[in-house]
Amino acid sequence: MPSRHASETPNSGDGSTRERDGSLLRSLVVSVLLAAVGIVVGFGLVLVAGLVLRVAGIEITPVLSIVLSLVLATGIGFGGVALLYIRYREYDFSYVGFRVPTLRELAYTAVGYVAALSLGLSATAAISLTGVEAGTNNAAQLGMENPEVLLLLIPASFLLIGPGEELLYRGVVQNRLRERLPAVAAIPLASLIFASIHYFSLSGSPSARLVSISLLVLPTLVFGAVYELSDNIVVPALTHGAYNATLFSLLYIALQFSQMA
């Protein structure tokens, strides 16, 4: 298997600048396409499942809607595309680095969680103070209208959201970029690609959605950094899962207090 950090290997001088640029362009295009295919496949699976359930006369409740999205889009869509790509390139799980975390890697997870949460909450507070309009996450909005959905999203953050999204966007997309770029470039690019695909899971004006995407880039940079440090996909998956679970928990607690007031 070729090194995922091929960009750090000195050039032999045999290839032309055009060939190297072409390889970099190909990596960028493939990375964006992988992200897009993950979204399309996930959306398609949810759409087909929804149509089948409606034809069968089954009511699609908010909880069922979230379950379909989590399992079919995040789990099978994102995870499936990542696994198919790994298989297509004739790699195994060593390509993404899949193993039980060591104590040091668990420390990366803990530090990454605190950093991601601090960045996310600080940026959100800053945007709120400035009065800039931000887009609303559709899952969070559904949770606000149906708090029981949040209780489902909390464990799902660890079981499906973190693993599915990190396998595709860090394990495959970031790794693909990392084959041609140094970490300082690959991590922000992968983070931007990941944040951008959330445009379709947000509501609001285009400018408001872009504000939310810019906020999402910050914690995502942390996910990419802990993956680079650990070379173990379990680390960003746990970090991401803990980050999302905390946000959903805080939202649930806030809703409970608002109902008591």
Side-chain angles (χ1 to χ4, degrees):
M1 183 185 73
S3 171
R4 284 174 286 159
H5 297 175
S7 61
E8 295 174 353
T9 304
N11 292 321
S12 62
D14 296 333
S16 66
T17 300
R18 178 177 296 180
E19 289 172 337
R20 291 196 297 272
D21 290 345
S23 297
L24 174 57
L25 178 60
R26 181 177 180 179
S27 291
L28 290 171
V29 171
V30 169
S31 297
V32 172
L33 285 177
L34 284 168
V37 170
I39 288 292
V40 171
V41 170
F43 178 77
L45 290 173
V46 172
L47 181 62
V48 170
L51 290 174
V52 170
L53 291 175
R54 290 183 186 280
V55 170
I58 299 175
E59 180 185 1
I60 301 180
T61 64
V63 172
L64 180 56
S65 175
I66 284 293
V67 169
L68 291 176
S69 178
L70 289 172
V71 174
L72 298 179
T74 307
I76 298 177
F78 291 176
V81 168
L83 293 175
L84 286 174
Y85 176 76
I86 293 172
R87 182 176 179 82
Y88 169 75
R89 296 191 71 183
E90 299 182 348
Y91 294 162
D92 54 29
F93 268 115
S94 63
Y95 179 72
V96 299
F98 180 78
R99 61 181 180 275
V100 176
T102 63
L103 289 177
R104 172 174 290 189
E105 290 168 350
L106 289 176
Y108 289 150
T109 301
V111 172
Y113 163 72
V114 173
L117 192 62
S118 299
L119 284 172
L121 293 179
S122 298
T124 300
I127 290 296
S128 179
L129 289 174
T130 59
V132 176
E133 180 188 2
T136 302
N137 183 281
N138 292 332
Q141 183 63 41
L142 184 60
M144 292 177 66
E145 298 170 356
N146 306 272
E148 68 275 11
V149 168
L150 295 172
L151 296 178
L152 178 64
L153 288 171
I154 293 170
S157 296
F158 290 101
L159 299 175
L160 289 168
I161 300 174
E165 293 187 349
E166 291 305 307
L167 181 59
L168 179 58
Y169 292 98
R170 241 61 59 190
V172 169
V173 171
Q174 183 169 310
N175 267 337
R176 189 66 174 86
L177 293 170
R178 196 67 177 85
E179 291 174 11
R180 295 295 175 184
L181 293 169
V184 70
I187 292 174
L189 275 174
S191 298
L192 184 59
I193 292 172
F194 172 76
S196 297
I197 61 99
H198 284 75
Y199 183 91
F200 303 101
S201 63
L202 297 169
S203 59
S205 66
S207 60
R209 296 187 189 194
L210 291 177
V211 169
S212 292
I213 287 172
S214 65
L215 294 177
L216 183 57
V217 168
L218 297 176
T220 305
L221 288 171
V222 177
F223 305 154
V226 296
Y227 182 45
E228 176 69 22
L229 289 170
S230 65
D231 199 24
N232 182 357
I233 195 63
V234 177
V235 173
L238 287 174
T239 306
H240 190 163
Y243 173 80
N244 277 26
T246 300
L247 295 184
F248 291 134
S249 297
L250 291 174
L251 180 56
Y252 181 79
I253 292 172
L255 289 174
Q256 296 306 305
F257 271 105
S258 66
Q259 292 176 1
M260 293 171 57

